[in-house]
Amino acid sequence: MTVPNPETPSAAPAPSDFIRDIVAQHVAEGRYSKIVTRFPPEPNGYLHIGHAKSICLNFGIARENNGQCNLRMDDTNPTKEDVEYVESIIQDVKWLVAGWADHCLGFKPKGRVPQLQSVNGASDYFLPAVCPSAQNSDELEPFFASDYFQQIYEYAVALIRKGKAYVCDLSPEDTDKYRGTPDTPGKDSPYRNRSVEENLSLFERMKAGEFPNGARSLRAKINMAAPNIWLRDPVLYRIRHAEHHHTGNAWCIYPMYDFAHCLSDYLEGVTHSICTLEFEVHRPLYDWILEELGLARPLPHQYEFAKLIPTFMIVSKRKLIQLVDDKIVSGWDDPRMPTISGLRRRGVPASALRAFVTGLGVTKFNSVTDIAVLEHAIREELNKSALRRLAVLRPIKAVITNIAPDQAIELDAVNNPEDPNAGSRKLRFTRELFIESDDFMETPPPKYFRLRPGGEVRLKYAFIIKCDEVVKDASGKVVEVRCSADLDSRTGGPTASRKVKGTIHWVSATEAIDAEVRLYDRLFDTAEPDADGDFKKHINPHSLEVVTAKLEPSLANASSDLRYQFERLAYFTLDPDSRPGKPVFNRTITLKDAWAPPKK
RNA sequence: UGCCCGAUGGUGUAAUGGUAGCACAAACGACUCUGACUCGUUUUGUCUAGGUUCGAGUCCUAGUCGGGCAGCCA
């Protein structure tokens, strides 16, 4: 059975942007034998919605060009990284890409490191990818920059031999001072002109662990007066006596991002290295390193785009960590978090996330994306796929006085009006019901077309009822409404077509099940929570409200693989906290509500 | 007063020298056994000043405004 995939090129035009234009041109020129991109997170936090944009760009380009996109841990800083993050990243990427670009997901055999090969007579390291959908993925793993430490070390030695790198004894503080500022040139390190032999020996001793952290570094010898700060003899290697999550204690010197990244791209045969705008000024260094090394195969090139900044969210790993550590949220996967795992738990389908980010486009303009665009993408997807169910979040009792206490009337209810194949189910109508407290008002404002004393309303899939009597408790609060049903008005009945303005949802009080329902809302109450640098001041106090709701009985068998629309309310998904007989539902997003009750 | 990048409705984005279009948002209306969905209508835009050209959002020059860069972070 093949279901038309709305994301296939035939159904929707492939996205176009300045990076895809460049790739298309390279394909036309036959510049590379295969288009290879990569998604290279540092495992020092969970992936968030901003990463989703990068993932969709990199995997999208791979997919559109029969290429591949390698997942690579950019793990060159042992003091900040952890396997917990490695595992969450793998899970999140697989989830986002599943059924869309998993055939392009580049992994490698476990433990495999770059192999020496001969290219045009030159020896050359290379580590090709395999794509897991075609292989046994238990034997595969993502790429790790740390798997290349030996090769990267050898490249450093090659640079030293060329006189293009030197060991510097300046302390980190002095290195800063010598660097100058953006508008004043730096000055040469006193160690800049050491002999190749001395550099080789010192670098070897750095590797052997003879020096403490910070005592020496390996630096590229470029130009201390360069207008671009990153060309002022940047540090290539630093000493870090620390255990690494992937390489253990094998190394005490670790390459810096700039040195490791371009070489990792090269080793994997990456053709297009796509990153965010802040790396633009690093590009000359990226190119310098690869060019100086005289490598055998075609070189990768770096392209930059503007990252995603959504309103009502913060997208900074450092700040996200604070939300977790300060227990403002329950964890990285709290459904209010902008993390991929949070969005997943919230009930956002991967396809909606993909549709959202691809609809954004790719440019170099620093923009702010209205959260409404994300919400629209979620509703659009869920409207097509969610099963409709009846549920009452804040119940008040409605007694239908002309139904006998032991009577139960079976009714048909459509599962999804947008999808005829979703079928229908039976609902049982009884004398005692619950209706939404919002759906009854004793003294309603104008244009309120729900239930009121003496008024009529249709109960969805059932009868038109009339409110005859209102029962209040001692404090005057309405606790029950007593109504009579027009028994001819059920679907298909003689008076079914009677015009009644309002239709409300209901559940049988005698048959409904209880469930914990978590009503999530935006985590922040202002569009740009970090604009004043103090995002914690702007936490929305109503970002989570928990209610015990009354659900139609079929929801006892809800599946965590499915999405539900509680009619007239919102979309929901089952939370992993659910236990047999004790379901927990998360509100993904409300339905749009064009009715604005008059404000007092 | 260094270097790099950018600027199109409220927001995001398209137009690759030839009618400024699309989406979201907003407003109004139609439909409705979901005040949902769907459909229709409407409002709002090329940063400024020069120049090239028959013709400029697009090319050139200058300016203005915004972002990035001074980690042995990535």
Side-chain angles (χ1 to χ4, degrees), chain A residues 145-196:
Chain A
S146 58
D147 279 333
Y148 317 147
F149 282 167
Q150 179 59 34
Q151 289 72 38
I152 293 171
Y153 174 80
E154 289 174 28
Y155 287 124
V157 168
L159 238 32
I160 294 171
R161 288 216 162 90
K162 277 194 73 177
K164 296 291 183 180
Y166 62 96
V167 173
C168 180
D169 301 1
L170 250 24
S171 68
E173 298 72 32
D174 286 338
T175 307
D176 270 2
K177 288 189 188 119
Y178 275 73
R179 185 160 32 233
T181 62
D183 51 1
T184 60
K187 56 182 187 198
D188 287 0
S189 161
Y191 307 96
R192 195 169 199 259
N193 293 312
R194 291 217 248 232
S195 70
V196 168

Side-chain angles (χ1 to χ4, degrees), chain A residues 230-287:
Chain A
W230 292 99
L231 261 17
R232 321 241 266 227
D233 290 11
V235 173
L236 265 22
Y237 261 93
R238 78 286 217 183
I239 299 170
R240 273 268 212 286
H241 293 275
E243 182 167 321
H244 187 283
H245 67 91
H246 192 66
T247 59
N249 293 299
W251 295 84
C252 65
I253 55 171
Y254 292 92
M256 298 289 291
Y257 163 83
D258 287 291
F259 196 53
H261 203 91
C262 54
L263 290 169
S264 301
D265 285 343
Y266 177 77
L267 289 167
E268 294 171 19
V270 167
T271 55
H272 300 262
S273 183
I274 301 164
C275 61
T276 46
L277 249 27
E278 65 266 30
F279 293 98
E280 212 161 10
V281 288
H282 294 241
R283 181 164 17 116
L285 179 55
Y286 184 105
D287 293 336

Side-chain angles (χ1 to χ4, degrees), chain A residues 312-379:
Chain A
F312 294 96
M313 289 186 177
I314 54 168
V315 191
S316 146
K317 278 192 204 170
R318 215 189 78 244
K319 287 164 185 161
L320 259 19
I321 278 182
Q322 288 181 47
L323 293 175
V324 174
D325 288 350
D326 297 354
K327 309 253 187 282
I328 293 169
V329 295
S330 64
W332 285 100
D333 70 343
D334 185 295
R336 292 164 294 179
M337 288 284 272
T339 51
I340 292 181
S341 53
L343 293 163
R344 178 169 63 231
R345 188 168 178 181
R346 177 84 169 244
V348 175
S351 56
L353 207 44
R354 274 185 251 127
F356 165 60
V357 295
T358 64
L360 255 27
V362 180
T363 67
K364 300 185 77 150
F365 178 61
N366 291 297
S367 60
V368 175
T369 297
D370 191 336
I371 192 77
V373 182
L374 202 216
E375 295 176 342
H376 176 262
I378 297 169
R379 290 192 180 104

